[in-house]
Amino acid sequence: MGQNIGAGPSRPQTPASPRPEAYELGEWDFYNITLNITPDVLIPRPDSEHLVDVALEFLRDRAESPDGRRPARLLDLCCGSGCIGLAVEANAPGVSVVWGDISDAALAVARSNGCGDARVLDALSPPPPDLGVFDAVVCNPPYVAPDDDALDASVREWEPPVALFGGTDGLDFYRSLLPDWLAVLRPGGLFAVEVGYDGAETVSRMAREAGLTGVTVRKDYAGHGRIVYGYTQPHKRGARHG
Ligand code: GLN
């Protein structure tokens, strides 16, 4: 595990841009929480707050899951600092969160932020069988194409390549998530991902092709489609399920 990371360019040895403030401070605000941040994790972005909103809207009234017997379960995949799951947990107490990332260094940061159940998960491979079933999966995967000129110089120079680059066209992670990771969702569960500034249309199509219903795009503060989300098929009336 972990051998397929670092497919993108590596960090330049001598950055021309100043060290980002978040790495200087060692902490950064996101949603309504403050996180420990090191150069092993992406600096949390306001864009990703919309991913928190989408998850909260789905989970807030379900601290208990629809069967009323167990806490609603959320998986934060490619979790980095843990920011998405932590912001959901802080605003929907009672939700049970599992955090996963391919990077041990990122998981150490996530644990320092209070992510109790944080484990190595490789989003480019199918989910391990012992992961269990979730009510919602959120993921902010690496989605930058290595030759994308729109990538800020500071981001390219300072932030972890493993968290940024998603293969030649930036879509490798969505190809794996859709459909393989839908298998960990219960019927009627929420699947929500962040996408690049020009990725919403393609990822929406992939989501529909993978069988999600109600596929919707939420825009970021700049007006780009940024979050793509949808739902696994609900149980058929009278259908038996285990
Ligand atoms: N939004 C980040 C950027 O373009 C990238 C985040 C990601 O790849 N998940 O700077």
Side-chain angles (χ1 to χ4, degrees):
M1 204 182 283
Q3 295 315 303
N4 51 6
I5 67 175
S10 52
R11 235 186 298 226
Q13 294 300 310
T14 47
S17 47
R19 189 174 158 90
E21 200 187 344
Y23 296 150
E24 283 294 328
L25 294 170
E27 61 177 37
W28 203 244
D29 291 342
F30 175 76
Y31 216 82
N32 55 355
I33 60 175
T34 302
L35 297 135
N36 299 323
I37 295 298
T38 78
D40 288 319
V41 297
L42 214 62
I43 300 165
R45 312 282 205 269
D47 291 340
S48 305
E49 296 184 341
H50 300 289
L51 189 48
V52 177
D53 283 337
V54 167
L56 278 175
E57 287 161 21
F58 182 80
L59 289 169
R60 204 173 245 143
D61 298 328
R62 304 175 193 228
E64 287 197 342
S65 70
D67 68 16
R69 277 174 290 151
R70 55 182 172 81
R73 291 189 84 217
L74 168 71
L75 175 63
D76 179 356
L77 187 57
C78 306
C79 68
S81 63
C83 59
I84 313 276
L86 285 163
V88 172
E89 190 181 55
N91 292 282
V95 172
S96 165
V97 186
V98 175
W99 289 265
D101 202 285
I102 190 66
S103 160
D104 284 319
L107 286 169
V109 178
R111 289 192 189 102
S112 83
N113 282 320
C115 302
D117 197 349
R119 56 184 283 183
V120 174
L121 289 176
D122 179 2
L124 291 174
S125 300
D130 66 333
L131 198 54
V133 175
F134 294 85
D135 299 279
V137 173
V138 290
C139 182
N140 174 17
Y143 55 64
V144 178
D147 60 356
D148 187 348
D149 295 335
L151 187 64
D152 200 68
S154 168
V155 176
R156 193 181 286 279
E157 291 176 354
W158 287 99
E159 302 205 37
V162 62
L164 290 171
F165 299 110
T168 316
D169 62 359
L171 297 173
D172 278 4
F173 283 79
Y174 307 106
R175 285 188 196 95
S176 173
L177 295 167
L178 298 160
D180 284 356
W181 284 75
L182 301 184
V184 303
L185 277 169
R186 66 166 178 77
L190 170 76
F191 176 85
V193 282
E194 182 171 321
V195 301
Y197 65 93
D198 58 353
E201 201 179 316
T202 307
V203 176
S204 296
R205 180 170 41 73
M206 293 167 81
R208 281 189 292 269
E209 284 171 5
L212 290 178
T213 63
V215 173
T216 306
V217 174
R218 184 155 310 182
K219 290 186 174 168
D220 63 19
Y221 298 110
H224 297 121
R226 185 60 70 178
I227 311 299
V228 174
Y229 63 98
Y231 309 90
T232 48
Q233 303 285 338
H235 280 308
K236 298 264 185 334
R237 265 168 78 93
R240 288 175 61 90
H241 52 88

